[in-house]
């Protein structure tokens, strides 16, 4: 299976503590680059997330974001610091015993800093749930990359079929092209009113055949097609290998075009370059 470097995934996590949304997105890149946008209170989990991405991915520029919204009612339970409240009451009673006229208001005691404490959220438990949500987002992200990779493989294989057709067309037309060139040479001899020497004509045809022989290029094209199909079947992180194969395809197509002596062969060489470029554009996004 091959994987695209372009993908997107979103995972929402809901719990008593609030709501969190993970978003993963990536584009093509020569190497693996990861960027995180996390709320400050969850910066501690970044190394764990980065390691998970490193194990799952080979290439691509990956952006990972977390939006966290706390539930205001989650920490509604209040805890009274009884020791502090008792100490405040004793202090207030002592002040009264010294002749102060003011009465003791319980609300004032509760307002004293530290008397009332809200129960703190269990951050370890929240982080555990967030990491589990990230794992689900990562799996959806990998599935999206695999799905897009399957589409790219289909497109590349269709272009390989097109290259095979063009190579077969050139191979089948070469005898007719050489015969056409033989007739053309004979006509030039006649136009120049030169005596037609069969041995001279044979020599010219041998030289021409050597200059226009594309059998080697066609054989290499067939070999490149087989190798590319093999790489696609093997799958994995094969983008660099496929990119190298496109360079080899281009080399043979350029040589074929330079040896062309016929409009049909020239058109076939141009069509080959178009198909190769279409494959290359797809391969730029393969991991």
């Amino acid at each position: 299976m091959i994987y695209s470097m372009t993908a997107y995934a979103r995972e929402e996590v809901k719990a008593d503590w609030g709501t969190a949304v993970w978003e993963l997105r990536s584009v093509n890149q020569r190497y693996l680059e990861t960027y995180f946008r996390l709320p400050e209170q969850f910066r501690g989990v970044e190394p764990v997330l980065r390691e998970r991405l490193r194990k799952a991915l080979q290439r691509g520029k990956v952006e990972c974001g977390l939006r966290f919204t706390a539930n205001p009612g989650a920490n509604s339970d209040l805890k009274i610091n009884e020791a502090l409240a008792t100490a405040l009451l004793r202090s207030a009673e002592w002040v009264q015993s010294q002749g102060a006229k003011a009465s003791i208001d319980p609300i004032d005691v509760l307002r004293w800093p530290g008397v009332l404490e809200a129960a703190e959220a269990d951050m370890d438990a929240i982080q555990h749930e967030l990491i589990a949500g990230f794992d689900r987002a990562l799996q959806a992200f990998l599935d999206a990359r695999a799905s897009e990779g399957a589409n790219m493989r289909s497109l590349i294989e269709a272009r390989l079929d097109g290259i095979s057709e063009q190579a077969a067309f050139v191979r089948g037309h070469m005898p007719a092209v050489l015969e056409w060139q033989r007739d053309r040479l004979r006509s030039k001899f006649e136009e120049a009113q030169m005596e037609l020497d069969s041995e001279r004509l044979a020599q010219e045809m041998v030289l021409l055949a050597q200059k226009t022989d594309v059998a080697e290029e066609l054989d290499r094209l067939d070999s490149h097609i087989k190798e590319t199909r093999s790489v696609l079947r093997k799958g994995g992180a094969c983008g660099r290998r496929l990119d190298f194969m496109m360079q080899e395809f281009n080399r043979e197509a350029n040589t074929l075009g330079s040896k062309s002596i016929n409009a049909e062969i020239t058109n076939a060489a141009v069509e080959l370059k178009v198909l190769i470029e279409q494959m290359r554009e797809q391969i730029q996004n393969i991991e």
Side-chain angles (χ1 to χ4, degrees):
M1 182 178 293
I2 65 174
Y3 295 89
S4 168
M5 285 190 284
T6 303
Y8 171 81
R10 182 181 185 275
E11 177 69 22
E12 186 175 15
V13 181
K14 289 185 177 181
D16 294 338
W17 41 259
T19 303
V21 177
W22 287 105
E23 286 188 335
L24 291 171
R25 67 186 77 224
S26 68
V27 294
N28 59 332
Q29 178 73 345
R30 250 182 111 180
Y31 306 103
L32 178 62
E33 293 185 11
T34 55
Y35 300 89
F36 289 88
R37 296 192 306 275
L38 305 176
E40 195 61 36
Q41 66 266 40
F42 299 116
R43 281 289 176 187
V45 302
E46 183 174 329
V48 177
L49 306 180
R50 193 179 298 277
E51 181 64 16
R52 275 168 160 76
L53 288 179
R54 188 189 66 80
K55 290 181 177 179
L57 308 174
Q58 298 293 325
R59 298 173 66 198
K61 180 180 178 181
V62 185
E63 294 182 4
C64 173
L66 172 64
R67 296 199 309 272
F68 180 82
T69 304
N71 181 6
N75 300 329
S76 58
D77 295 337
L78 298 178
K79 181 181 178 181
I80 298 178
N81 188 335
E82 295 180 3
L84 178 58
T86 300
L88 286 172
L89 288 172
R90 287 176 180 172
S91 298
E93 289 172 354
W94 180 84
V95 171
Q96 281 186 325
S97 68
Q98 299 302 312
K101 301 291 185 180
S103 60
I104 301 174
D105 189 345
I107 299 300
D108 291 336
V109 175
L110 292 176
R111 287 174 178 169
W112 192 267
V115 174
L116 280 182
E117 298 176 349
E120 293 185 0
D122 187 347
M123 292 301 294
D124 290 339
I126 294 176
Q127 288 184 3
H128 180 76
E129 292 186 56
L130 289 179
I131 292 176
F134 174 82
D135 288 339
R136 293 192 297 272
L138 179 57
Q139 186 56 55
F141 182 69
L142 294 175
D143 292 342
R145 285 166 68 108
S147 177
E148 183 65 19
N151 293 335
M152 289 180 177
R153 175 176 176 174
S154 298
L155 292 172
I156 293 171
E157 288 180 336
R159 301 312 188 269
L160 290 174
D161 291 339
I163 291 175
S164 294
E165 292 174 3
Q166 294 299 325
F169 171 83
V170 173
R171 199 185 300 274
H173 276 68
M174 283 311 296
V177 170
L178 290 176
E179 184 61 30
W180 169 79
Q181 189 65 19
R182 181 191 296 273
D183 294 339
R184 187 180 176 193
L185 278 175
R186 186 180 291 110
S187 298
K188 286 186 176 180
F189 274 116
E190 293 174 353
E191 289 175 3
Q193 296 181 350
M194 295 176 61
E195 182 179 350
L196 186 60
D197 185 348
S198 59
E199 184 177 349
R200 173 68 183 280
L201 179 61
Q203 291 175 351
E204 292 292 336
M205 287 305 302
V206 169
L207 291 173
L208 182 63
Q210 291 175 346
K211 291 180 180 179
T212 60
D213 182 20
V214 294
E216 185 178 353
E217 285 74 20
L218 296 176
D219 288 343
R220 279 202 286 260
L221 279 175
D222 290 340
S223 176
H224 296 339
I225 291 171
K226 291 178 182 178
E227 177 62 20
T228 302
R229 292 189 189 277
S230 175
V231 172
L232 291 174
R233 284 194 300 270
K234 184 178 179 181
C238 58
R240 289 191 179 95
R241 176 64 179 171
L242 291 173
D243 189 56
F244 170 77
M245 293 306 303
M246 294 307 102
Q247 296 176 35
E248 296 300 304
F249 272 112
N250 265 319
R251 184 176 291 110
E252 307 310 329
N254 289 333
T255 305
L256 184 65
S258 67
K259 289 185 176 182
S260 176
I261 57 172
N262 177 277
E264 291 181 333
I265 306 302
T266 300
N267 291 337
V270 171
E271 183 62 23
L272 280 174
K273 297 194 73 171
V274 171
L275 292 168
I276 294 166
E277 179 60 23
Q278 290 173 346
M279 282 197 299
R280 192 191 67 79
E281 290 177 356
Q282 297 297 328
I283 288 170
Q284 294 301 309
N285 288 324
I286 291 179
E287 185 178 51

